[in-house]
Amino acid sequence: MHKFTPEIEAVAAEILEYSLNRLKSDPPLDGPRTAEDLFNEVGNTITAQGLGGHEALQVFTEVLAKACISTDHPRNLAFIPSAPSELSNLFDLVVGASALYGGSWQEGAGAVFAENQALRWLSDLAGLPQSAGGVFVQGGTIGNLSALVVARAQARKTNPGVHRWAVMCSAEAHSSIASAAQVMDVEIIKIETNSERTMLGSSVATKIDEIHSLDDLRVFAVVGTAGTTNLGIIDDLAGIAAAAQERGVWFHVDGAYGLAALCAPSIRSKFNGVEKADSFIVDPHKWLFAPFDACALVYREPHLAKEVHTQHASYLETLHDDSWSPSDYAIHLTRRVRGLPFWFSLAAHGTDAYSEAMEKSLQVAKDAAELIRQHPRLELLREPELSIVAFTRPGWSASDYHQWSEKLLADQIGFIPPSSDQGQPILRFAIVNPWTQMSDIQAILATL
Ligand SMILES: *Cc1c(COP(=O)(O)O)cnc(C)c1O
């Protein structure tokens, strides 16, 4: 049936060889170029006759791929980089080759079964009941939005007269919460954090009571952040859970980055309270060694999500039975089984390997903080709570930071774009890659 011509056979060999080499060898960092510059080199690649596989692959490997920063480079400590395990990357090739459909149980039962076991591991680590479950969505942004839509639907059931809704989160919460509020056309109430920069349950309780006593505005969800993206700070999850639950408000935990460390025994207790969550998210593509793009979205009571997110259409009705269809648990219909590379790596390596890799990046973060503390020109911003190490170079202006960062990338030493904290420019290392060694940290610090 498949027409694997000799030409395609040859391209297949080239693609597999390129992929294996990319996975085996340390990639260069590379870096961006302008669209004009790229056009001057490759021209219009979409032509009536086609370039042929060999030529199109050349364009990619020789030009386009080199204009993309390697997010898995051990000295890429920018934003939250990526560090997919070799096995998860390899299995992504299998997923691509297999034409798997991950939207319904009917079409993808075996794959969905495997994804669900990976979700179960995360749900068990968080301490949710066996009845919990969810789905892998594209990213934390869609995960947060999908969960908050369920939370509001739930609140509407018990408060039918309310027309103005609000989601509450810390002033340090991720921008995706504000984005969700905007999409949902609800208000967002940001709570000031305490001196340790965490949102406390007592502040949440006071603010909810104040709002509910004043007007017709009602809080339908409180979002606790388990690891802020900029600094890795964890909210008072247990306190927030109690405050929300005493008031009948949904408790969602945004752990896109940080909840990965649920599998690190040394710091598991920092997440106490997450077991009370009505829903939580964690992105395996951030700190759980999976390729883009995969966010695990887990609900305590998944049937509530199914009520809200199931799409109804004549051509879909045959799918609606009691089986578990991932499409029913978030804002999406067609989906690739994006959780499978994560599942494969987890199944192959075992969960102990995950705990070890996690402890390793936590140790590198601690050691990096110590080096910065001893550095004559640098100042540690705060003790790293997870694996983000933030610091400043007193006396430097924002433009000094930018120039340093650009040179660091141009010299292909590392990728560390400046960030800011409370209006001041800062630098931060986001350490999620088990291949990031102290020698990498030293090489970067030597340029400061
Ligand atoms: C990264 C992040 C998000 C957004 O996740 P995406 O996968 O980038 O959409 C949300 N919340 C937190 C805390 C994050 O770190």
Side-chain angles (χ1 to χ4, degrees):
M1 177 190 89
H2 279 286
K3 300 178 195 65
F4 237 56
T5 60
E7 290 76 24
I8 290 183
E9 198 78 59
V11 177
E14 282 183 73
I15 285 180
L16 290 176
E17 190 192 347
Y18 173 80
S19 301
L20 286 183
N21 280 339
R22 173 62 180 78
L23 291 173
K24 276 182 187 170
S25 51
D26 278 343
L29 261 167
D30 294 325
R33 295 168 65 183
T34 64
E36 191 188 9
D37 192 19
L38 289 170
F39 187 83
N40 287 340
E41 190 156 348
V42 305
N44 188 357
T45 57
I46 308 303
T47 61
Q49 302 301 314
L51 301 178
H54 172 77
E55 188 62 31
L57 185 63
Q58 288 290 110
V59 169
F60 177 76
T61 58
E62 296 304 315
V63 185
L64 304 182
K66 292 176 180 169
C68 300
I69 293 182
S70 298
T71 60
D72 57 346
H73 190 286
R75 273 179 269 120
N76 182 340
L77 310 179
F79 314 113
I80 305 288
S82 85
S85 69
E86 296 74 11
L87 291 185
S88 69
N89 267 332
L90 287 166
F91 201 74
D92 216 0
L93 298 178
V94 176
V95 171
S98 305
L100 301 168
Y101 178 72
S104 70
W105 185 267
Q106 186 182 46
E107 289 163 278
V112 174
F113 174 85
E115 281 190 311
N116 285 350
Q117 287 201 333
L119 288 170
R120 168 70 51 218
W121 178 61
L122 294 168
S123 176
D124 287 351
L125 283 174
L128 263 64
Q130 288 304 300
S131 49
V135 59
F136 288 98
V137 295
Q138 173 264 325
T141 300
I142 297 292
N144 283 333
L145 175 60
S146 296
L148 291 176
V149 166
V150 177
R152 181 179 57 180
Q154 195 56 15
R156 275 180 174 151
K157 285 186 203 162
T158 40
N159 304 275
V162 173
H163 298 294
R164 285 175 64 216
W165 296 102
V167 55
M168 186 175 279
C169 61
S170 120
E172 315 232 356
H174 188 266
S175 52
S176 56
I177 306 301
S179 162
Q182 197 182 15
V183 171
M184 294 170 70
D185 194 20
V186 296
E187 292 174 43
I188 180 164
I189 293 162
K190 293 194 172 176
I191 303 291
E192 282 312 314
T193 53
N194 70 355
S195 58
E196 293 294 303
R197 314 278 296 272
T198 64
M199 178 169 76
L200 294 180
S202 52
S203 316
V204 167
T206 308
K207 193 69 184 176
I208 296 180
D209 290 344
E210 185 189 315
I211 290 167
H212 288 183
S213 71
L214 280 181
D215 47 27
D216 67 339
L217 182 64
R218 230 187 133 84
V219 178
F220 68 89
V222 182
V223 178
T225 305
T228 57
T229 323
N230 207 28
L231 299 176
I233 300 167
I234 303 165
D235 282 338
D236 166 26
L237 300 180
I240 298 166
Q245 271 158 12
E246 281 159 18
R247 291 160 182 79
V249 174
W250 187 282
F251 174 44
H252 174 70
V253 177
D254 178 0
Y257 152 67
L259 275 186
L262 280 172
C263 70
S266 69
I267 59 164
R268 172 61 183 81
S269 63
K270 292 186 188 228
F271 300 108
N272 285 350
V274 67
E275 71 284 355
K276 302 267 172 50
D278 293 298
S279 54
F280 74 82
I281 64 156
V282 52
D283 281 357
H285 67 221
K286 282 185 170 166
W287 196 14
L288 281 172
F289 322 115
F292 301 125
D293 47 15
C295 163
L297 162 62
V298 176
Y299 301 94
R300 170 176 299 272
E301 296 187 60
H303 69 94
L304 299 177
K306 189 168 170 171
E307 283 170 22
V308 176
H309 287 306
T310 301
Q311 294 191 25
H312 296 279
S314 49
Y315 80 103
L316 294 173
E317 291 312 314
T318 113
L319 297 174
H320 296 160
D321 53 23
D322 287 340
S323 62
W324 186 278
S325 285
S327 293
D328 294 342
Y329 298 96
I331 300 160
H332 57 191
L333 183 62
T334 296
R335 65 181 288 276
R336 75 188 230 103
V337 280
R338 53 170 53 84
L340 269 200
F342 172 56
W343 162 79
F344 180 73
S345 180
L346 198 56
H349 287 297
T351 59
D352 285 354
Y354 278 68
S355 302
E356 278 162 34
M358 193 66 49
E359 294 289 358
K360 199 170 156 209
S361 36
L362 289 167
Q363 189 60 46
V364 171
K366 260 193 208 140
D367 294 346
E370 187 53 38
L371 279 189
I372 289 164
R373 208 181 285 106
Q374 291 165 7
H375 195 292
R377 288 175 298 281
L378 302 178
E379 209 166 89
L380 189 66
L381 199 66
R382 55 180 286 141
E383 282 306 318
E385 199 152 343
L386 294 171
S387 68
I388 294 171
V389 189
F391 58 99
T392 58
R393 179 163 162 163
W396 266 15
S397 66
S399 90
D400 291 326
Y401 284 101
H402 276 285
Q403 278 168 25
W404 170 82
S405 171
E406 276 172 21
K407 182 164 168 18
L408 195 75
L409 182 62
D411 294 344
Q412 294 284 290
I413 296 173
F415 183 43
I416 324 271
S419 178
S420 69
D421 181 54
Q422 301 183 321
Q424 298 305 312
I426 64 164
L427 293 174
R428 58 190 274 290
F429 295 158
I431 299 165
V432 298
N433 192 332
W435 300 114
T436 301
Q437 312 284 338
M438 282 315 288
S439 54
D440 295 308
I441 302 292
Q442 280 158 342
I444 294 164
L445 291 180
T447 66
L448 282 158

